[in-house]
Amino acid sequence: MTAELPPRPEPPRRWSETVQVWLAWFGPARLIVSAVSVVVVAAGVAWLVRAPGPTTEAGLPFGTAVVTAATGSAAVTAATLPPPATAPPTSAVAGGPVIVHVAGMVAAPGVYELDADARVHTAIDAAGGASADADLDGLNLAADVADGQRIYVPRVGEVDPSTVPSGPSPVESAVGDAHESTAPIDLNTASASQLEQLPGIGPATAAAIIDDRDRHGPFAAVSDLERVPGIGPAKLAAIADRVTV
């Protein structure tokens, strides 16, 4: 009796036939649903693992809280704010130059800029020194000068016309009430009421003198009054011996 032989194996399929069989079993609908599911899951995973964006608070300036010992309250100061501007120290302002007006019996009367620690004799030297007929005994040559001060050097026997010192150390002192009526009037410091005491000078002309002084600066000579409207040669001659600069 002969033995039964095993079944003969089927010939191998090509990969394309295998795919077709698998697709026929799985079906196109399941394949589409599976593909969509994979895409949705991948998108969800990517959204979960993404880095979070910066919050609104992250863009605000960083601040530190300072608690005051007196009140116990907290004040928040922004570290990114620039420091407040500080005023220059008082010493830097007080140590600047000073401007003084030197008038009277000096070689070159005028306005001069001096160091802050200058004295009266320094101002007189800056104006070329005192004239030969100057009366220096009536001045305190060692006194400090102040910004805006007028230093008048009188002639021997002359009364000091100025009563408007500037600063804590006055240089010009009043000689006496008996001489005030005859003292010359300083054109560069006189008020309107003082100018109206001059012969032929009324309120309008006094105001014109002050306006010219404010616009053009101090008068360098008495003859400069001729540039003021209302003052001619005759009026200037009438008041020339009663005014000074």
Side-chain angles (χ1 to χ4, degrees):
M1 184 175 182
T2 61
E4 188 175 353
L5 295 174
R8 193 175 176 184
E10 297 181 359
R13 296 179 180 178
R14 292 179 299 179
W15 67 272
S16 58
E17 294 178 353
T18 303
V19 171
Q20 291 177 0
V21 173
W22 184 82
L23 289 176
W25 173 82
F26 197 72
R30 294 178 180 174
L31 183 61
I32 294 173
V33 172
S34 300
V36 172
S37 300
V38 171
V39 172
V40 171
V41 172
V45 172
W47 183 83
L48 291 175
V49 298
R50 68 182 177 86
T55 61
T56 304
E57 291 79 2
L60 298 177
F62 178 75
T64 57
V66 179
V67 180
T68 59
T71 61
S73 59
V76 178
T77 57
T80 57
L81 295 178
T86 57
T90 305
S91 59
V93 177
V98 295
I99 308 296
V100 297
H101 177 204
V102 184
M105 305 308 296
V106 291
V111 178
Y112 294 92
E113 180 177 309
L114 307 174
D115 294 336
D117 57 351
R119 303 300 177 101
V120 172
H121 70 86
T122 308
I124 296 176
D125 292 340
S131 302
D133 54 350
D135 184 11
L136 297 179
D137 292 338
L139 300 176
N140 181 3
L141 300 179
D144 294 328
V145 298
D147 187 52
Q149 183 176 353
R150 180 178 181 273
I151 302 173
Y152 184 79
V153 181
R155 184 185 284 108
V156 175
E158 181 185 7
V159 175
D160 183 1
S162 176
T163 57
V164 191
S166 177
S169 301
V171 177
E172 305 166 14
S173 59
V175 177
D177 296 337
H179 302 283
E180 289 181 357
S181 59
T182 60
I185 295 177
D186 188 352
L187 294 174
N188 293 321
T189 61
S191 63
S193 61
Q194 291 174 320
L195 293 173
E196 291 174 15
Q197 298 175 8
L198 298 171
I201 303 298
T205 306
I209 293 174
I210 295 177
D211 179 68
D212 184 277
R213 184 177 68 195
D214 293 340
R215 289 188 293 109
H216 300 290
F219 294 100
V222 174
S223 58
D224 290 343
L225 279 176
E226 287 192 277
R227 72 191 185 195
V228 178
I231 298 181
K235 186 174 292 187
L236 177 61
I239 65 175
D241 58 344
R242 302 189 61 178
V243 295
T244 185
V245 294

